[in-house]
């Protein structure tokens, strides 16, 4: 029996075949915080078969029991349905399927031993050889793990219908520029087929990101407006209130453009701008997404100079709490030019979007966390309400899709102010997930792990898609490197540098204040 009211009446629910999820980098944070808690929540909702098996692969000699104890702690702290104490029987049966294999990524012997261990576990737990290899290590380890998996005969080539199946999930970042992404794609394809590769982007596991497609393609009333005849411009915001939280080492070489834009926000751009796919199947859907990325107008030097703003936060206060400046973070160079803020104006050269500018910003140390897409519509063709309408604010309709938090969708329009006046006042029509569905949405990793076990790659990034987005993003990095110019500065807890305001003001527009 389902415990989730959202699942009542769900006709397309499918349960994957028993399989073993092998996690490389099992002692890392992600395993404990996200992966195992997600698998546990799926088990709790009976969305995975009882034979589901998890095998952690890492260097430390902690044994099955040590790993189980660490995972229990993770589940208790981080699972969406934190429950262990209330449901010991479920935990006991889930924990029986957790194993640990001590090994080193570059030691072929570790993989031969892994193969033997997997065969043993398969026999004991009735798993018919199906495997998901989850690469949750620093990206530098991906190639050696892939090579060794291949050499140990652990990868059976073939797509969703192949049995037993082998699928490989690759964590982000998938490359740091076009060249490294190409090399990694080649390395992956040396051991497996594209159909077996699941490049993860956790934003695609978010309900609200998936709902962009449902909103557009399951309703007839919005799509006719979703184009350059009615849309004046599009604003996409991926703002976070946190700083870099001690990840100086990583962030210095990444910057917000790699950390958030190339992956997460590009997914949102694609889903917002794509054409209707032929079907929602993995290839049809991803074909349409790739077309958007390929249609991004490559910026020439003048555009890069004019339409890209990068910034870095200085000390300030966010939500009443002091936050030190980026350059004062450990492992950050005192003269670092790494961007913690980026704002871009860009164009998608397609029939649908010709002439519609897209403005995108992403940053750390903003006044609050907010991820949203806003379509700002053109004004009514004739102003019948004159000065009184202008006096009360915006005359443009705005459709805002709030990805997180306060997940929902709002439509802003003008309404006559009550009383003997022709004044128009902006008002909102609101949909909120919490109110309409009354339950918390599943964690992104739950959906993505389940989809991979089911052999559905729709919510994963295809190789050509990753390369297309790096083609566009790498141009910006090249330009920054060549120009050697400094970043603009903004105080933590503000909405970014003045240059970013100017980017829109120049066009007679302004950023939304969510
Ligand atoms: C990660 C980035 O991929 O996404 C982090 O590395 C960022 O820097 C995070 O904070 C944001 O994810 P979410 O789901 O909290 O919006």
């Amino acid at each position: 029996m389902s415990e989730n009211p959202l699942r009542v009446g769900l006709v397309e629910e499918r349960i994957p075949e028993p399989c073993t999820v092998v996690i490389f980098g099992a002692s890392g944070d992600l395993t404990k915080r996200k992966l195992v808690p997600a698998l546990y929540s799926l088990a709790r909702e009976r969305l995975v078969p009882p034979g589901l098996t998890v095998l952690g692969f890492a260097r430390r000699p902690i044994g099955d029991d040590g790993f189980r104890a660490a995972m229990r702690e993770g589940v208790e702290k981080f699972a969406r349905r934190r429950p262990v104490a209330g449901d010991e029987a479920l935990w006991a049966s889930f924990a029986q399927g957790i194993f640990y294999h001590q090994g080193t990524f570059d030691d072929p012997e570790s993989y031969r031993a892994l193969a033997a261990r997997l065969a043993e576990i398969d026999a004991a737990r009735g798993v018919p050889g199906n495997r998901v290899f989850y690469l949750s290590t620093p990206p530098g380890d991906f190639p050696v793990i892939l090579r060794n998996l291949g050499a140990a005969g652990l990868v059976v080539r073939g797509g969703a219908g192949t049995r037993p199946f082998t699928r490989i999930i690759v964590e982000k970042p998938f490359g740091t520029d076009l060249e490294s992404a190409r090399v990694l794609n080649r390395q992956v394809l040396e051991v497996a087929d594209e159909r077996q590769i699941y490049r993860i982007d956790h934003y695609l596991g978010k309900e609200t990101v998936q709902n962009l497609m449902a909103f557009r393609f399951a309703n007839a009333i919005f799509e006719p407006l979703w184009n350059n005849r009615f849309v004046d411009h599009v604003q996409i915001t991926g703002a976070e209130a946190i700083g870099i939280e001690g990840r100086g080492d990583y962030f210095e070489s990444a910057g917000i453009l790699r950390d958030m834009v190339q992956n997460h926000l590009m997914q949102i751009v694609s889903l917002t701008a794509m054409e209707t796919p032929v079907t929602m199947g993995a290839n049809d859907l991803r074909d349409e997404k790739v077309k958007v990325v390929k249609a991004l107008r490559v910026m020439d030097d003048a555009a890069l100079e004019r339409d890209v703003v990068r910034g870095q936060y200085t000390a300030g206060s966010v939500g009443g709490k002091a936050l030190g400046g980026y350059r004062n973070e450990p492992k950050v160079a005192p003269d670092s030019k790494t961007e913690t803020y980026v704002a871009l104006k860009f164009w998608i050269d397609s029939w649908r979007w010709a002439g519609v500018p897209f403005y995108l910003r992403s940053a750390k140390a903003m006044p609050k966390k907010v991820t949203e897409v806003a379509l700002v519509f053109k004004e009514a063709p004739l102003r019948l309400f004159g000065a009184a309408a202008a006096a009360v604010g915006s005359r443009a309709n705005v459709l805002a899709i709030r990805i997180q938090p306060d997940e929902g969708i709002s439509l802003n329009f003008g309404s006559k102010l009550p009383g003997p006046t022709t004044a128009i006042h902006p008002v909102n029509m609101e949909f909120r997930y919490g109110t309409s569905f009354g339950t918390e949405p599943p964690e992104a990793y739950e959906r993505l792990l389940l989809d991979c076990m089911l052999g559905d790659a729709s919510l994963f990034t295809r190789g050509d898609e990753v390369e297309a987005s790096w083609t566009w993003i790498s141009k910006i990095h090249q330009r920054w490197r060549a120009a050697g110019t400094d970043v603009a500065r903004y105080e933590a807890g503000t909405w970014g540098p003045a240059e970013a305001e100017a980017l829109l003001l120049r066009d007679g527009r302004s950023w939304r204040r969510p």
Side-chain angles (χ1 to χ4, degrees):
M1 275 265 291
S2 157
E3 295 174 9
N4 180 346
L6 280 185
R7 286 172 56 205
V8 173
L10 214 61
V11 286
E12 54 176 357
E13 204 168 88
R14 290 181 297 152
I15 305 285
E17 293 169 27
C19 71
T20 300
V21 181
V22 181
I23 305 175
F24 290 93
S27 48
D29 228 29
L30 190 74
T31 306
K32 188 172 168 177
R33 276 175 177 267
K34 298 283 183 191
L35 305 183
V36 174
L39 291 168
Y40 179 79
S41 299
L42 290 172
R44 191 176 163 113
E45 302 217 349
R46 297 182 184 81
L47 286 169
V48 285
L52 176 75
T53 304
V54 181
L55 186 143
F57 183 117
R59 210 160 307 170
R60 279 190 271 156
I62 55 171
D64 289 345
D65 287 342
F67 188 53
R68 281 179 192 143
M71 292 309 106
R72 179 175 172 132
E73 211 183 291
V75 167
E76 270 170 350
K77 252 199 177 137
F78 303 113
R80 177 168 58 96
R81 300 173 154 254
R82 281 181 217 171
V84 180
D87 200 346
E88 284 296 340
L90 175 72
W91 172 257
S93 102
F94 183 73
Q96 264 173 24
I98 299 184
F99 301 90
Y100 184 78
H101 183 76
Q102 189 201 348
T104 354
F105 298 147
D106 59 358
D107 172 22
E109 189 45 45
S110 293
Y111 295 79
R112 282 194 284 273
L114 173 67
R117 185 88 199 277
L118 282 170
E120 230 174 72
I121 293 174
D122 280 357
R125 292 188 52 79
V127 178
N130 295 327
R131 273 136 209 190
V132 172
F133 293 112
Y134 199 122
L135 274 47
S136 169
T137 63
D141 293 323
F142 295 163
V144 70
I145 297 173
L146 289 164
R147 228 178 12 254
N148 277 311
L149 281 174
L154 278 163
V155 181
V156 181
R157 279 195 187 254
T162 310
R163 291 296 175 275
F165 66 71
T166 309
R167 298 180 188 139
I168 302 175
I169 303 184
V170 187
E171 254 302 329
K172 60 160 255 189
F174 199 92
T176 53
D177 57 13
L178 176 59
E179 193 42 40
S180 55
R182 277 187 178 146
V183 170
L184 185 53
N185 268 335
R186 273 202 299 274
Q187 288 164 335
V188 164
L189 294 177
E190 274 166 24
V191 297
D193 296 351
E194 174 63 34
R195 294 170 300 170
Q196 297 172 264
I197 308 303
Y198 293 71
R199 294 171 194 79
I200 211 161
D201 183 313
H202 78 279
Y203 267 52
L204 286 175
K206 292 182 191 277
E207 284 288 331
T208 42
V209 173
Q210 292 159 33
N211 198 40
L212 266 167
M213 293 182 277
F215 184 70
R216 291 187 56 194
F217 305 132
N219 298 290
I221 59 171
F222 304 110
E223 206 46 29
L225 307 178
W226 209 272
N227 56 51
N228 54 10
R229 285 184 59 206
F230 296 97
V231 177
D232 175 73
H233 71 281
V234 179
Q235 290 192 24
I236 295 173
T237 299
E240 291 180 279
I242 52 172
I244 54 152
E245 304 202 297
R247 296 193 301 160
D249 228 2
Y250 157 73
F251 212 83
E252 275 288 86
S253 61
I256 203 82
L257 193 60
R258 284 192 181 87
D259 185 54
M260 287 290 293
V261 181
Q262 181 273 332
N263 41 38
H264 308 325
L265 297 181
M266 270 300 147
Q267 292 297 340
I268 294 179
V269 170
S270 305
L271 296 177
T272 303
M274 73 181 184
E275 297 301 318
T276 320
V278 179
T279 71
M280 294 304 281
N283 273 333
D284 291 337
L285 176 58
R286 296 186 296 179
D287 283 349
E288 294 308 329
K289 283 167 60 195
V290 175
K291 282 190 210 159
V292 173
V293 187
K294 285 188 175 164
L296 290 172
R297 187 183 302 168
V298 174
M299 294 195 204
D300 59 18
D301 281 354
L304 283 162
E305 187 63 42
R306 191 183 56 231
D307 297 337
V308 182
V309 175
R310 58 176 172 154
Q312 187 189 73
Y313 64 85
T314 56
S317 121
V318 182
K321 271 174 78 181
L323 185 69
Y326 176 74
R327 287 182 183 174
N328 299 112
E329 283 276 350
K331 303 201 174 149
V332 168
D335 58 349
S336 169
K337 289 178 185 161
T338 301
E339 82 289 356
T340 60
Y341 179 104
V342 69
L344 308 159
K345 172 184 173 185
F346 61 91
W347 303 89
I348 297 175
D349 286 331
S350 65
W351 270 50
R352 185 187 284 264
W353 296 114
V356 179
F358 280 66
Y359 301 94
L360 180 152
R361 61 184 161 164
S362 184
K364 302 280 187 191
M366 295 275 99
K368 59 178 175 178
K369 177 162 178 113
V370 52
T371 313
E372 71 156 32
V373 182
L375 273 66
V376 181
F377 289 91
K378 294 182 176 168
E379 289 181 25
L382 188 65
R383 279 188 202 163
L384 287 174
F385 298 95
V392 289
S394 157
R395 288 180 306 267
N397 301 121
V398 180
L399 179 67
I401 297 159
R402 182 71 79 96
I403 308 290
Q404 59 185 15
D406 305 328
E407 292 80 0
I409 298 175
S410 73
L411 179 63
N412 176 278
F413 58 94
S415 172
K416 183 190 167 304
L417 264 185
T421 165
T422 56
I424 304 295
H425 191 72
V427 292
N428 267 330
M429 281 201 299
E430 290 266 348
F431 149 65
R432 283 176 182 261
Y433 277 77
T435 320
S436 295
F437 296 123
T439 180
E440 84 249 73
E443 281 277 323
Y445 278 95
E446 292 175 34
R447 172 66 191 262
L448 296 175
L449 280 160
L450 183 63
D451 277 7
C452 173
M453 290 187 261
L454 288 167
D456 182 353
S458 334
L459 297 177
F460 293 83
T461 318
R462 210 167 55 190
D464 53 345
E465 196 180 341
V466 167
E467 290 187 17
S469 83
W470 275 124
T471 302
W472 194 73
I473 294 281
S474 290
K475 271 263 180 255
I476 302 174
H477 283 127
Q478 280 161 14
R479 163 86 199 170
W480 285 345
R481 255 198 319 272
T485 45
D486 205 353
V487 284
R489 317 296 293 284
Y490 63 100
E491 196 183 319
T494 66
W495 283 104
E499 288 82 343
E501 297 298 329
L503 180 70
L504 268 74
L505 272 180
R506 210 173 62 203
D507 298 342
R509 302 182 173 113
S510 57
W511 290 109
R512 282 168 49 75
R513 287 278 173 268

